[in-house]
Amino acid sequence: QVRLVESGGGLVQPGESLRLSCAASGSIFSINDMHWYRQAPGKERELVATITSAGSTNYADSVKGRFTVSRDNARLTMYLQMNSLKFEDTAVYYCNAVVRVAGYSYDRDYWGQGTQVTVSS
């Protein structure tokens, strides 16, 4: 079974930085696109960042210039470097990945459990 685990969330003050990690494990043949989503209380889930298997990236306008997504394929891990954090960045951040499971010929989406990021003064 494929498992995604986020880590690195916590409580920070405005202007500070945080780095999130998403580690994949299980019977994985390959990982295609990976995404960071976030969801604030009472709000719809929002796509924050995407990184493809080739390393191409896209960001939501609200985080562009402040956040950087990267991946380490050898470690099956994706990162989100968050700088200049703002109050409105407060949310649960979720990892999503499109995974080719070993022994199968198709891809499936998997989700992590989420990690809380709180920006407060």
Side-chain angles (χ1 to χ4, degrees):
Q1 186 175 7
V2 174
R3 178 175 165 87
L4 302 178
V5 179
E6 301 97 333
S7 62
L11 174 64
V12 296
Q13 293 183 319
E16 294 184 337
S17 297
L18 209 56
R19 189 176 80 154
L20 306 183
S21 298
C22 170
S25 62
S27 186
I28 298 171
F29 178 77
S30 63
I31 303 176
N32 197 359
D33 293 358
M34 303 185 78
H35 314 269
W36 285 104
Y37 287 82
R38 67 185 182 187
Q39 188 165 23
K43 301 292 183 66
E44 195 171 49
R45 187 180 298 178
E46 173 189 20
L47 176 62
V48 175
T50 294
I51 184 165
T52 70
S53 59
S56 297
T57 59
N58 287 102
Y59 300 91
D61 288 341
S62 59
V63 307
K64 192 172 184 178
R66 300 186 297 119
F67 290 11
T68 302
V69 63
S70 61
R71 62 192 289 170
D72 185 335
N73 292 327
R75 294 180 180 270
L76 302 178
T77 302
M78 175 178 63
Y79 305 94
L80 185 67
Q81 179 66 45
M82 304 184 293
N83 298 328
S84 302
L85 283 162
K86 305 175 180 179
F87 294 121
E88 52 263 43
D89 294 320
T90 296
V92 177
Y93 283 71
Y94 296 94
C95 174
N96 170 260
V98 180
V99 177
R100 176 68 59 91
V101 179
Y104 291 81
S105 61
Y106 59 92
D107 299 338
R108 293 198 63 176
D109 287 344
Y110 291 88
W111 291 86
Q113 81 290 345
T115 186
Q116 177 72 49
V117 172
T118 302
V119 184
S120 178
S121 61

PDB file of all heavy atoms in Angstrom, residues 60-88:
ATOM      1  N   ALA A  60       0.032  28.842  -7.013  1.00  0.00           N
ATOM      2  CA  ALA A  60      -1.098  29.739  -6.882  1.00  0.00           C
ATOM      3  C   ALA A  60      -0.592  31.177  -6.793  1.00  0.00           C
ATOM      4  O   ALA A  60       0.493  31.432  -6.254  1.00  0.00           O
ATOM      5  CB  ALA A  60      -1.906  29.395  -5.633  1.00  0.00           C
ATOM      6  N   ASP A  61      -1.372  32.111  -7.317  1.00  0.00           N
ATOM      7  CA  ASP A  61      -0.960  33.509  -7.294  1.00  0.00           C
ATOM      8  C   ASP A  61      -0.691  34.016  -5.875  1.00  0.00           C
ATOM      9  O   ASP A  61       0.183  34.862  -5.669  1.00  0.00           O
ATOM     10  CB  ASP A  61      -2.021  34.392  -7.953  1.00  0.00           C
ATOM     11  CG  ASP A  61      -2.071  34.216  -9.457  1.00  0.00           C
ATOM     12  OD1 ASP A  61      -1.098  33.706 -10.037  1.00  0.00           O
ATOM     13  OD2 ASP A  61      -3.091  34.600 -10.053  1.00  0.00           O
ATOM     14  N   SER A  62      -1.422  33.490  -4.916  1.00  0.00           N
ATOM     15  CA  SER A  62      -1.302  33.954  -3.546  1.00  0.00           C
ATOM     16  C   SER A  62       0.034  33.603  -2.897  1.00  0.00           C
ATOM     17  O   SER A  62       0.413  34.222  -1.897  1.00  0.00           O
ATOM     18  CB  SER A  62      -2.445  33.389  -2.697  1.00  0.00           C
ATOM     19  OG  SER A  62      -2.436  31.975  -2.719  1.00  0.00           O
ATOM     20  N   VAL A  63       0.751  32.626  -3.448  1.00  0.00           N
ATOM     21  CA  VAL A  63       2.021  32.198  -2.856  1.00  0.00           C
ATOM     22  C   VAL A  63       3.206  32.403  -3.782  1.00  0.00           C
ATOM     23  O   VAL A  63       4.355  32.222  -3.352  1.00  0.00           O
ATOM     24  CB  VAL A  63       1.974  30.725  -2.412  1.00  0.00           C
ATOM     25  CG1 VAL A  63       0.776  30.472  -1.514  1.00  0.00           C
ATOM     26  CG2 VAL A  63       1.957  29.784  -3.610  1.00  0.00           C
ATOM     27  N   LYS A  64       2.964  32.778  -5.010  1.00  0.00           N
ATOM     28  CA  LYS A  64       4.037  32.930  -5.988  1.00  0.00           C
ATOM     29  C   LYS A  64       5.048  33.968  -5.512  1.00  0.00           C
ATOM     30  O   LYS A  64       4.686  35.055  -5.087  1.00  0.00           O
ATOM     31  CB  LYS A  64       3.465  33.324  -7.342  1.00  0.00           C
ATOM     32  CG  LYS A  64       4.462  33.231  -8.477  1.00  0.00           C
ATOM     33  CD  LYS A  64       3.790  33.445  -9.823  1.00  0.00           C
ATOM     34  CE  LYS A  64       4.767  33.260 -10.972  1.00  0.00           C
ATOM     35  NZ  LYS A  64       4.099  33.429 -12.279  1.00  0.00           N
ATOM     36  N   GLY A  65       6.318  33.602  -5.597  1.00  0.00           N
ATOM     37  CA  GLY A  65       7.385  34.475  -5.135  1.00  0.00           C
ATOM     38  C   GLY A  65       7.782  34.245  -3.697  1.00  0.00           C
ATOM     39  O   GLY A  65       8.843  34.715  -3.269  1.00  0.00           O
ATOM     40  N   ARG A  66       6.950  33.556  -2.928  1.00  0.00           N
ATOM     41  CA  ARG A  66       7.231  33.271  -1.528  1.00  0.00           C
ATOM     42  C   ARG A  66       7.481  31.789  -1.263  1.00  0.00           C
ATOM     43  O   ARG A  66       8.275  31.444  -0.385  1.00  0.00           O
ATOM     44  CB  ARG A  66       6.080  33.746  -0.639  1.00  0.00           C
ATOM     45  CG  ARG A  66       5.809  35.236  -0.734  1.00  0.00           C
ATOM     46  CD  ARG A  66       4.756  35.669   0.289  1.00  0.00           C
ATOM     47  NE  ARG A  66       3.465  35.031   0.051  1.00  0.00           N
ATOM     48  CZ  ARG A  66       2.849  34.224   0.917  1.00  0.00           C
ATOM     49  NH1 ARG A  66       3.414  33.948   2.089  1.00  0.00           N
ATOM     50  NH2 ARG A  66       1.664  33.702   0.626  1.00  0.00           N
ATOM     51  N   PHE A  67       6.787  30.911  -2.001  1.00  0.00           N
ATOM     52  CA  PHE A  67       6.894  29.468  -1.795  1.00  0.00           C
ATOM     53  C   PHE A  67       7.688  28.841  -2.933  1.00  0.00           C
ATOM     54  O   PHE A  67       7.620  29.295  -4.082  1.00  0.00           O
ATOM     55  CB  PHE A  67       5.514  28.812  -1.758  1.00  0.00           C
ATOM     56  CG  PHE A  67       4.691  29.123  -0.538  1.00  0.00           C
ATOM     57  CD1 PHE A  67       5.044  30.115   0.362  1.00  0.00           C
ATOM     58  CD2 PHE A  67       3.532  28.397  -0.295  1.00  0.00           C
ATOM     59  CE1 PHE A  67       4.279  30.392   1.477  1.00  0.00           C
ATOM     60  CE2 PHE A  67       2.751  28.659   0.810  1.00  0.00           C
ATOM     61  CZ  PHE A  67       3.122  29.660   1.701  1.00  0.00           C
ATOM     62  N   THR A  68       8.408  27.769  -2.617  1.00  0.00           N
ATOM     63  CA  THR A  68       9.144  27.012  -3.616  1.00  0.00           C
ATOM     64  C   THR A  68       8.921  25.524  -3.392  1.00  0.00           C
ATOM     65  O   THR A  68       9.164  25.015  -2.300  1.00  0.00           O
ATOM     66  CB  THR A  68      10.651  27.312  -3.562  1.00  0.00           C
ATOM     67  OG1 THR A  68      10.882  28.710  -3.749  1.00  0.00           O
ATOM     68  CG2 THR A  68      11.384  26.537  -4.656  1.00  0.00           C
ATOM     69  N   VAL A  69       8.466  24.830  -4.423  1.00  0.00           N
ATOM     70  CA  VAL A  69       8.262  23.389  -4.342  1.00  0.00           C
ATOM     71  C   VAL A  69       9.430  22.688  -5.032  1.00  0.00           C
ATOM     72  O   VAL A  69       9.927  23.154  -6.064  1.00  0.00           O
ATOM     73  CB  VAL A  69       6.907  22.973  -4.959  1.00  0.00           C
ATOM     74  CG1 VAL A  69       6.842  23.305  -6.447  1.00  0.00           C
ATOM     75  CG2 VAL A  69       6.632  21.497  -4.720  1.00  0.00           C
ATOM     76  N   SER A  70       9.868  21.590  -4.456  1.00  0.00           N
ATOM     77  CA  SER A  70      10.958  20.809  -5.025  1.00  0.00           C
ATOM     78  C   SER A  70      10.725  19.340  -4.701  1.00  0.00           C
ATOM     79  O   SER A  70       9.837  18.997  -3.918  1.00  0.00           O
ATOM     80  CB  SER A  70      12.316  21.278  -4.486  1.00  0.00           C
ATOM     81  OG  SER A  70      12.379  21.127  -3.081  1.00  0.00           O
ATOM     82  N   ARG A  71      11.528  18.477  -5.314  1.00  0.00           N
ATOM     83  CA  ARG A  71      11.396  17.052  -5.038  1.00  0.00           C
ATOM     84  C   ARG A  71      12.744  16.371  -5.136  1.00  0.00           C
ATOM     85  O   ARG A  71      13.626  16.801  -5.883  1.00  0.00           O
ATOM     86  CB  ARG A  71      10.390  16.391  -5.992  1.00  0.00           C
ATOM     87  CG  ARG A  71      10.774  16.439  -7.463  1.00  0.00           C
ATOM     88  CD  ARG A  71       9.609  16.035  -8.358  1.00  0.00           C
ATOM     89  NE  ARG A  71       9.316  14.612  -8.280  1.00  0.00           N
ATOM     90  CZ  ARG A  71       8.229  14.039  -8.813  1.00  0.00           C
ATOM     91  NH1 ARG A  71       7.324  14.795  -9.435  1.00  0.00           N
ATOM     92  NH2 ARG A  71       8.045  12.731  -8.704  1.00  0.00           N
ATOM     93  N   ASP A  72      12.883  15.301  -4.377  1.00  0.00           N
ATOM     94  CA  ASP A  72      14.059  14.451  -4.398  1.00  0.00           C
ATOM     95  C   ASP A  72      13.565  13.058  -4.760  1.00  0.00           C
ATOM     96  O   ASP A  72      13.021  12.345  -3.918  1.00  0.00           O
ATOM     97  CB  ASP A  72      14.759  14.457  -3.046  1.00  0.00           C
ATOM     98  CG  ASP A  72      16.059  13.677  -3.044  1.00  0.00           C
ATOM     99  OD1 ASP A  72      16.224  12.768  -3.876  1.00  0.00           O
ATOM    100  OD2 ASP A  72      16.923  13.980  -2.203  1.00  0.00           O
ATOM    101  N   ASN A  73      13.732  12.683  -6.014  1.00  0.00           N
ATOM    102  CA  ASN A  73      13.173  11.426  -6.491  1.00  0.00           C
ATOM    103  C   ASN A  73      13.821  10.211  -5.831  1.00  0.00           C
ATOM    104  O   ASN A  73      13.169   9.185  -5.636  1.00  0.00           O
ATOM    105  CB  ASN A  73      13.306  11.335  -8.003  1.00  0.00           C
ATOM    106  CG  ASN A  73      12.434  12.333  -8.734  1.00  0.00           C
ATOM    107  OD1 ASN A  73      11.342  12.669  -8.271  1.00  0.00           O
ATOM    108  ND2 ASN A  73      12.888  12.820  -9.870  1.00  0.00           N
ATOM    109  N   ALA A  74      15.100  10.301  -5.499  1.00  0.00           N
ATOM    110  CA  ALA A  74      15.780   9.190  -4.847  1.00  0.00           C
ATOM    111  C   ALA A  74      15.196   8.918  -3.465  1.00  0.00           C
ATOM    112  O   ALA A  74      15.167   7.774  -3.012  1.00  0.00           O
ATOM    113  CB  ALA A  74      17.274   9.461  -4.748  1.00  0.00           C
ATOM    114  N   ARG A  75      14.752   9.970  -2.793  1.00  0.00           N
ATOM    115  CA  ARG A  75      14.164   9.838  -1.463  1.00  0.00           C
ATOM    116  C   ARG A  75      12.645   9.749  -1.493  1.00  0.00           C
ATOM    117  O   ARG A  75      12.017   9.624  -0.444  1.00  0.00           O
ATOM    118  CB  ARG A  75      14.579  11.020  -0.587  1.00  0.00           C
ATOM    119  CG  ARG A  75      16.062  11.079  -0.275  1.00  0.00           C
ATOM    120  CD  ARG A  75      16.386  12.273   0.600  1.00  0.00           C
ATOM    121  NE  ARG A  75      17.806  12.341   0.914  1.00  0.00           N
ATOM    122  CZ  ARG A  75      18.367  11.769   1.969  1.00  0.00           C
ATOM    123  NH1 ARG A  75      17.633  11.072   2.824  1.00  0.00           N
ATOM    124  NH2 ARG A  75      19.667  11.885   2.169  1.00  0.00           N
ATOM    125  N   LEU A  76      12.050   9.821  -2.684  1.00  0.00           N
ATOM    126  CA  LEU A  76      10.594   9.803  -2.840  1.00  0.00           C
ATOM    127  C   LEU A  76       9.947  10.882  -1.965  1.00  0.00           C
ATOM    128  O   LEU A  76       8.936  10.635  -1.299  1.00  0.00           O
ATOM    129  CB  LEU A  76      10.021   8.425  -2.505  1.00  0.00           C
ATOM    130  CG  LEU A  76      10.542   7.237  -3.318  1.00  0.00           C
ATOM    131  CD1 LEU A  76       9.908   5.947  -2.840  1.00  0.00           C
ATOM    132  CD2 LEU A  76      10.270   7.437  -4.800  1.00  0.00           C
ATOM    133  N   THR A  77      10.530  12.061  -2.000  1.00  0.00           N
ATOM    134  CA  THR A  77      10.099  13.127  -1.111  1.00  0.00           C
ATOM    135  C   THR A  77       9.909  14.436  -1.869  1.00  0.00           C
ATOM    136  O   THR A  77      10.706  14.779  -2.741  1.00  0.00           O
ATOM    137  CB  THR A  77      11.117  13.335   0.018  1.00  0.00           C
ATOM    138  OG1 THR A  77      11.279  12.115   0.741  1.00  0.00           O
ATOM    139  CG2 THR A  77      10.648  14.416   0.974  1.00  0.00           C
ATOM    140  N   MET A  78       8.845  15.150  -1.519  1.00  0.00           N
ATOM    141  CA  MET A  78       8.570  16.480  -2.040  1.00  0.00           C
ATOM    142  C   MET A  78       8.655  17.468  -0.886  1.00  0.00           C
ATOM    143  O   MET A  78       8.304  17.148   0.249  1.00  0.00           O
ATOM    144  CB  MET A  78       7.174  16.526  -2.666  1.00  0.00           C
ATOM    145  CG  MET A  78       6.744  17.908  -3.126  1.00  0.00           C
ATOM    146  SD  MET A  78       5.106  17.927  -3.930  1.00  0.00           S
ATOM    147  CE  MET A  78       4.043  17.390  -2.593  1.00  0.00           C
ATOM    148  N   TYR A  79       9.095  18.687  -1.190  1.00  0.00           N
ATOM    149  CA  TYR A  79       9.245  19.723  -0.189  1.00  0.00           C
ATOM    150  C   TYR A  79       8.479  20.976  -0.590  1.00  0.00           C
ATOM    151  O   TYR A  79       8.236  21.226  -1.774  1.00  0.00           O
ATOM    152  CB  TYR A  79      10.714  20.099  -0.003  1.00  0.00           C
ATOM    153  CG  TYR A  79      11.607  18.927   0.314  1.00  0.00           C
ATOM    154  CD1 TYR A  79      12.290  18.258  -0.696  1.00  0.00           C
ATOM    155  CD2 TYR A  79      11.769  18.488   1.622  1.00  0.00           C
ATOM    156  CE1 TYR A  79      13.107  17.183  -0.411  1.00  0.00           C
ATOM    157  CE2 TYR A  79      12.585  17.412   1.917  1.00  0.00           C
ATOM    158  CZ  TYR A  79      13.253  16.761   0.902  1.00  0.00           C
ATOM    159  OH  TYR A  79      14.064  15.689   1.195  1.00  0.00           O
ATOM    160  N   LEU A  80       8.118  21.757   0.398  1.00  0.00           N
ATOM    161  CA  LEU A  80       7.546  23.076   0.162  1.00  0.00           C
ATOM    162  C   LEU A  80       8.239  24.057   1.100  1.00  0.00           C
ATOM    163  O   LEU A  80       8.008  24.027   2.311  1.00  0.00           O
ATOM    164  CB  LEU A  80       6.037  23.090   0.395  1.00  0.00           C
ATOM    165  CG  LEU A  80       5.339  24.401   0.045  1.00  0.00           C
ATOM    166  CD1 LEU A  80       5.398  24.655  -1.462  1.00  0.00           C
ATOM    167  CD2 LEU A  80       3.892  24.396   0.525  1.00  0.00           C
ATOM    168  N   GLN A  81       9.096  24.891   0.531  1.00  0.00           N
ATOM    169  CA  GLN A  81       9.754  25.939   1.291  1.00  0.00           C
ATOM    170  C   GLN A  81       8.852  27.160   1.308  1.00  0.00           C
ATOM    171  O   GLN A  81       8.540  27.716   0.255  1.00  0.00           O
ATOM    172  CB  GLN A  81      11.111  26.285   0.676  1.00  0.00           C
ATOM    173  CG  GLN A  81      11.856  27.397   1.389  1.00  0.00           C
ATOM    174  CD  GLN A  81      12.283  27.013   2.780  1.00  0.00           C
ATOM    175  OE1 GLN A  81      12.796  25.918   2.991  1.00  0.00           O
ATOM    176  NE2 GLN A  81      12.052  27.902   3.743  1.00  0.00           N
ATOM    177  N   MET A  82       8.431  27.575   2.489  1.00  0.00           N
ATOM    178  CA  MET A  82       7.501  28.684   2.642  1.00  0.00           C
ATOM    179  C   MET A  82       8.219  29.831   3.343  1.00  0.00           C
ATOM    180  O   MET A  82       8.606  29.710   4.506  1.00  0.00           O
ATOM    181  CB  MET A  82       6.273  28.254   3.438  1.00  0.00           C
ATOM    182  CG  MET A  82       5.542  27.054   2.840  1.00  0.00           C
ATOM    183  SD  MET A  82       4.025  26.641   3.734  1.00  0.00           S
ATOM    184  CE  MET A  82       4.724  26.089   5.299  1.00  0.00           C
ATOM    185  N   ASN A  83       8.382  30.932   2.634  1.00  0.00           N
ATOM    186  CA  ASN A  83       9.028  32.118   3.172  1.00  0.00           C
ATOM    187  C   ASN A  83       8.024  33.259   3.299  1.00  0.00           C
ATOM    188  O   ASN A  83       6.971  33.248   2.672  1.00  0.00           O
ATOM    189  CB  ASN A  83      10.189  32.558   2.275  1.00  0.00           C
ATOM    190  CG  ASN A  83      11.287  31.527   2.176  1.00  0.00           C
ATOM    191  OD1 ASN A  83      11.547  30.782   3.113  1.00  0.00           O
ATOM    192  ND2 ASN A  83      11.957  31.488   1.025  1.00  0.00           N
ATOM    193  N   SER A  84       8.370  34.243   4.094  1.00  0.00           N
ATOM    194  CA  SER A  84       7.534  35.432   4.274  1.00  0.00           C
ATOM    195  C   SER A  84       6.086  35.059   4.564  1.00  0.00           C
ATOM    196  O   SER A  84       5.148  35.568   3.948  1.00  0.00           O
ATOM    197  CB  SER A  84       7.612  36.327   3.031  1.00  0.00           C
ATOM    198  OG  SER A  84       8.942  36.715   2.765  1.00  0.00           O
ATOM    199  N   LEU A  85       5.898  34.179   5.512  1.00  0.00           N
ATOM    200  CA  LEU A  85       4.564  33.660   5.810  1.00  0.00           C
ATOM    201  C   LEU A  85       3.630  34.756   6.313  1.00  0.00           C
ATOM    202  O   LEU A  85       4.044  35.673   7.025  1.00  0.00           O
ATOM    203  CB  LEU A  85       4.653  32.533   6.823  1.00  0.00           C
ATOM    204  CG  LEU A  85       5.138  31.200   6.226  1.00  0.00           C
ATOM    205  CD1 LEU A  85       5.619  30.262   7.314  1.00  0.00           C
ATOM    206  CD2 LEU A  85       4.016  30.553   5.421  1.00  0.00           C
ATOM    207  N   LYS A  86       2.371  34.638   5.921  1.00  0.00           N
ATOM    208  CA  LYS A  86       1.327  35.598   6.265  1.00  0.00           C
ATOM    209  C   LYS A  86       0.208  34.909   7.034  1.00  0.00           C
ATOM    210  O   LYS A  86       0.082  33.686   7.006  1.00  0.00           O
ATOM    211  CB  LYS A  86       0.744  36.222   4.986  1.00  0.00           C
ATOM    212  CG  LYS A  86       1.759  36.872   4.072  1.00  0.00           C
ATOM    213  CD  LYS A  86       1.093  37.340   2.785  1.00  0.00           C
ATOM    214  CE  LYS A  86       2.087  38.003   1.854  1.00  0.00           C
ATOM    215  NZ  LYS A  86       1.441  38.431   0.585  1.00  0.00           N
ATOM    216  N   PHE A  87      -0.618  35.708   7.708  1.00  0.00           N
ATOM    217  CA  PHE A  87      -1.755  35.160   8.441  1.00  0.00           C
ATOM    218  C   PHE A  87      -2.620  34.277   7.552  1.00  0.00           C
ATOM    219  O   PHE A  87      -3.094  33.222   7.996  1.00  0.00           O
ATOM    220  CB  PHE A  87      -2.615  36.281   9.025  1.00  0.00           C
ATOM    221  CG  PHE A  87      -1.934  37.098  10.078  1.00  0.00           C
ATOM    222  CD1 PHE A  87      -1.772  38.458   9.905  1.00  0.00           C
ATOM    223  CD2 PHE A  87      -1.477  36.509  11.244  1.00  0.00           C
ATOM    224  CE1 PHE A  87      -1.156  39.215  10.888  1.00  0.00           C
ATOM    225  CE2 PHE A  87      -0.854  37.256  12.226  1.00  0.00           C
ATOM    226  CZ  PHE A  87      -0.693  38.620  12.049  1.00  0.00           C
ATOM    227  N   GLU A  88      -2.836  34.698   6.315  1.00  0.00           N
ATOM    228  CA  GLU A  88      -3.707  33.976   5.407  1.00  0.00           C
ATOM    229  C   GLU A  88      -3.130  32.655   4.910  1.00  0.00           C
ATOM    230  O   GLU A  88      -3.814  31.905   4.213  1.00  0.00           O
ATOM    231  CB  GLU A  88      -4.100  34.857   4.214  1.00  0.00           C
ATOM    232  CG  GLU A  88      -2.921  35.483   3.502  1.00  0.00           C
ATOM    233  CD  GLU A  88      -2.647  36.906   3.955  1.00  0.00           C
ATOM    234  OE1 GLU A  88      -2.692  37.163   5.174  1.00  0.00           O
ATOM    235  OE2 GLU A  88      -2.403  37.770   3.088  1.00  0.00           O
TER     236      GLU A  88
END
